[in-house]
């Protein structure tokens, strides 16, 4: 229970207000807005929900659910700038000058019928092989040697017209109907950008707003391994290294012969390499690499086959910059695991992944902004700052919350 906001949250909101005034002259948070944000972030941390009734109960009736909801819906908060300004504050306070940008997507399951939850659609469940109704979010994170910072997000929504066309096209194809007799592919609808386009928008925004940050590399999930995405992401970040994953059946050319990645690397001997992941832990991997012409990309890429000694199949890492060493690419690729840690921490302890049922686009977007604002506030918690100064590992959200 609480009747006043936590001190470190008040400190963060005060600093956020000053940052807004510095970056956006003439704009600021009103006293009421500051009180409301303090209450919301404290409520999220203590109840592990983004739920107004839970806040009312935890606040012993000091804050009424209807009043909280009204502020959420109708107050003229700078919603479009809150997360951006908070990020600037975090970067400056922590002295971050460089890092690796990581793109990944995550899904959040909802109930089977969701008339008012925005962006819900049918999503493939990797665990069961079935499908569920849920929301899909594309995240951009900045990973440094010490911390992982959420930078921005986009809700992904599939184009209904394209989804219907794909379903019908698959049915007709299975029935043996030729391509010329099947309906033509629908034109791109800008209202429904795909995940690669959303990821590029996030990178572009970050580069425009934080040009002082040196981006060492961009790391993306295998979903973003297209030639178009990798080349454009490289251009946006001054031709830095772009790293992703390829499928095992990806076609490559070597000495005039076409191979799948699996066949090619099965015919070449792997070597054992030891790498150090963030935190100092040493990990052994079986590794093989080559600079190969990737057919789908129409150019040479640096391709690495890697697996743990107890694994049966390789995972295939692809990189745009051919001058890097194999060890350096693998070292960057290990940051991918830290993003999974962030997702798990965020979903378990920062409210949105536990209970956030606000209606419509504003409801989903604004409640997620509040959750990530709490993450920024926790990064500047006195305990975190003390550990950073003493070169100690940062605390997880779960341990700080406890």
């Amino acid at each position: 229970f609480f009747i006043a906001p936590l001190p470190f949250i008040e400190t963060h909101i005060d600093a956020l207000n000053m940052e807004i005034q510095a970056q956006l002259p003439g704009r600021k948070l009103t006293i009421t807005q500051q009180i409301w944000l303090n209450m919301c972030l404290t409520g999220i941390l203590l109840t592990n929900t983004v739920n107004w009734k839970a806040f009312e109960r935890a606040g012993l009736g000091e804050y009424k659910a209807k009043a909280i909801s009204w502020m959420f819906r109708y107050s003229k908060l700078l919603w479009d700038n809150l997360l951006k300004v908070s990020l600037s504050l975090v970067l400056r306070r922590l002295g971050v000058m460089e890092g690796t940008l990581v793109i990944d997507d995550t899904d959040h399951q909802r109930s089977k019928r969701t008339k008012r939850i925005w962006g819900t659609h049918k999503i493939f469940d990797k665990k069961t092989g079935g499908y569920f109704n849920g929301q899909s979010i594309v995240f951009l994170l900045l990973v440094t040697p010490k911390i992982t910072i959420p930078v921005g997000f986009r809700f992904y929504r599939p184009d209904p017209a394209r989804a219907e066309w794909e379903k019908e096209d698959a049915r007709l194809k299975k029935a043996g109907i030729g391509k010329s007799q099947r309906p033509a592919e629908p034109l791109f609808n800008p209202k429904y950008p795909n995940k690669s386009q959303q990821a590029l928008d996030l990178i572009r925004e970050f580069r425009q707003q934080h040009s002082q940050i040196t981006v060492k590399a961009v790391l993306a999930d295998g979903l973003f391994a297209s030639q178009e995405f990798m080349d454009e992401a490289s251009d946006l970040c001054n031709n830095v290294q772009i790293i992703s994953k390829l499928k095992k059946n990806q076609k490559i050319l070597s000495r005039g012969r076409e191979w799948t990645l699996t066949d090619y690397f099965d015919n070449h001997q792997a070597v054992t390499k030891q790498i150090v992941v963030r935190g100092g832990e040493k990990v052994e991997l079986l590794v093989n690499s080559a600079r190969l012409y990737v057919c789908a990309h129409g150019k040479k890429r640096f391709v690495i086959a890697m697996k743990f000694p107890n694994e049966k199949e390789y995972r295939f890492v692809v990189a745009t910059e051919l001058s890097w060493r194999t060890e350096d690419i693998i070292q960057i690729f290990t940051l991918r695991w830290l993003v999974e840690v962030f997702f798990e921490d965020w979903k378990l302890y920062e409210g949105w992944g536990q209970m956030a049922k606000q209606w419509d686009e504003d409801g989903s977007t604004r409640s997620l902004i509040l959750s990530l604002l709490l993450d920024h506030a926790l990064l500047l918690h006195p305990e975190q700052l003390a550990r950073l100064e003493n070169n100690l590992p940062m605390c997880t959200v779960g341990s700080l919350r406890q």
Side-chain angles (χ1 to χ4, degrees), residues 38 55 87-88 126 134 155 175 180 228 233 235 244 256 265 326 399:
N38 281 322
F55 292 179
L87 176 62
S88 298
K126 297 176 184 176
F155 281 93
S180 61
E228 295 83 1
D235 290 341
S244 187
F265 283 104
T326 300
S399 59

Side-chain angles (χ1 to χ4, degrees), residues 164-184:
E164 189 61 35
W165 171 80
E166 288 176 349
K167 183 178 178 181
E168 180 65 10
D169 189 67
R171 185 186 71 81
L172 294 174
K173 188 176 181 180
K174 188 176 181 180
I177 297 174
K179 185 175 181 180
S180 61
Q181 296 177 298
R182 302 199 299 266

Side-chain angles (χ1 to χ4, degrees), residues 47-104:
T47 69
N48 199 12
T49 67
V50 188
N51 181 286
W52 315 142
K53 282 291 185 182
F55 292 179
E56 181 179 322
R57 290 191 295 270
L60 302 176
E62 182 74 16
Y63 312 97
K64 300 299 181 184
K66 286 185 178 180
I68 301 170
S69 180
W70 189 95
M71 284 289 294
F72 181 77
R73 292 289 176 181
Y74 303 111
S75 176
K76 295 181 180 179
L77 263 170
L78 303 171
W79 287 108
D80 291 339
N81 293 289
L82 277 181
L83 198 60
K84 299 172 186 176
V85 175
S86 180
L87 176 62
S88 298
L89 176 63
V90 171
L91 294 175
R92 192 181 72 254
R93 287 286 305 277
L94 296 179
V96 175
M97 295 305 297
E98 64 177 24
T100 298
L101 289 176
V102 183
I103 287 285
D104 204 350

Side-chain angles (χ1 to χ4, degrees), residues 5-156:
L6 292 166
F8 83 93
I9 289 177
E10 279 191 306
T11 300
H12 184 68
I13 297 303
D14 287 343
L16 179 62
N17 187 37
M18 289 188 285
E19 191 74 18
I20 289 172
Q21 293 178 64
Q23 290 193 25
L24 305 169
R27 308 299 298 274
K28 65 176 182 178
L29 297 174
T30 67
I31 297 298
T32 302
Q33 289 171 346
Q34 292 180 60
I35 292 171
W36 184 82
L37 284 171
N38 281 322
M39 181 277 304
C40 282
L41 298 195
T42 301
I44 292 171
L45 187 62
L46 297 185
T47 69
N48 199 12
T49 67
V50 188
N51 181 286
W52 315 142
K53 282 291 185 182
F55 292 179
E56 181 179 322
R57 290 191 295 270
L60 302 176
E62 182 74 16
Y63 312 97
K64 300 299 181 184
K66 286 185 178 180
I68 301 170
S69 180
W70 189 95
M71 284 289 294
F72 181 77
R73 292 289 176 181
Y74 303 111
S75 176
K76 295 181 180 179
L77 263 170
L78 303 171
W79 287 108
D80 291 339
N81 293 289
L82 277 181
L83 198 60
K84 299 172 186 176
V85 175
S86 180
L87 176 62
S88 298
L89 176 63
V90 171
L91 294 175
R92 192 181 72 254
R93 287 286 305 277
L94 296 179
V96 175
M97 295 305 297
E98 64 177 24
T100 298
L101 289 176
V102 183
I103 287 285
D104 204 350
D105 64 320
T106 185
D107 302 322
H108 180 54
Q109 187 170 355
R110 295 291 191 177
S111 60
K112 292 182 179 180
R113 294 186 179 183
T114 49
K115 295 180 180 179
R116 296 293 299 274
I117 301 296
W118 189 75
T120 54
H121 58 279
K122 190 177 179 181
I123 298 172
F124 178 70
D125 190 344
K126 297 176 184 176
K127 294 180 181 178
T128 65
Y131 292 86
F132 62 81
N133 186 50
Q135 291 170 295
S136 185
I137 312 166
V138 178
F139 270 95
L140 178 65
L141 301 110
L142 181 67
V143 182
T144 77
K146 288 287 184 181
I147 55 174
T148 301
I149 310 170
V151 169
F153 66 89
R154 292 283 192 279
F155 281 93
Y156 167 72

Side-chain angles (χ1 to χ4, degrees), residues 7 21 144 262 339 371 400:
Q21 293 178 64
T144 77
T262 299
V339 173
S371 177
L400 272 181

Side-chain angles (χ1 to χ4, degrees), residues 1 34 46-47 51 53 66 89 99 109 141 145 175 178 184 193 202 223 249 253 261 263 268 284 292 300 329 395-396:
F1 297 102
Q34 292 180 60
L46 297 185
T47 69
N51 181 286
K53 282 291 185 182
K66 286 185 178 180
L89 176 63
Q109 187 170 355
L141 301 110
L202 288 168
L223 179 67
N249 60 352
L253 285 178
L261 287 175
D263 290 340
H268 292 76
E284 281 195 350
L292 301 168
K300 268 193 173 183
I329 296 173
C395 297
T396 63

Side-chain angles (χ1 to χ4, degrees), residues 223-359:
L223 179 67
F224 307 93
S226 68
Q227 177 262 326
E228 295 83 1
F229 173 83
M230 296 185 76
D231 286 348
E232 189 168 346
S234 180
D235 290 341
L236 288 172
C237 299
N238 298 327
N239 300 315
V240 300
Q241 181 70 283
I242 311 298
I243 303 171
S244 187
K245 292 193 298 182
L246 294 175
K247 295 180 179 179
K248 62 183 181 181
N249 60 352
Q250 188 83 46
K251 297 291 181 68
I252 56 97
L253 285 178
S254 177
R255 297 182 179 180
R257 180 180 171 183
E258 190 176 89
W259 305 71
T260 65
L261 287 175
T262 299
D263 290 340
Y264 179 85
F265 283 104
D266 280 347
N267 283 278
H268 292 76
Q269 186 67 37
V271 297
T272 301
K273 289 187 180 292
Q274 190 176 75
I275 59 170
V276 180
V277 299
R278 193 172 78 177
E281 182 184 356
K282 294 182 179 179
V283 178
E284 281 195 350
L285 293 170
L286 287 173
V287 176
N288 199 346
S289 63
R291 293 165 179 84
L292 301 168
Y293 184 91
V294 179
C295 298
H297 290 203
K299 59 179 67 177
K300 268 193 173 183
R301 300 292 198 197
F302 201 134
V303 182
I304 301 172
M306 54 186 281
K307 65 179 179 180
F308 291 105
N310 60 344
E311 290 182 327
K312 293 182 178 180
E313 294 188 345
Y314 285 108
R315 65 192 75 191
F316 300 100
V317 177
V318 60
T320 56
E321 179 53 57
L322 303 179
S323 63
W324 279 37
R325 299 184 308 162
T326 300
E327 293 84 349
D328 296 331
I329 296 173
I330 295 174
Q331 197 70 51
I332 291 287
F333 185 75
T334 62
L335 301 179
R336 173 80 179 75
W337 304 329
L338 297 174
V339 173
E340 294 300 330
V341 173
F342 164 80
F343 280 148
E344 184 173 355
D345 223 22
W346 168 66
K347 287 180 177 180
L348 285 175
Y349 301 114
E350 295 183 78
W352 201 89
Q354 298 295 309
M355 183 179 287
K357 298 183 178 180
Q358 282 69 37
W359 288 352

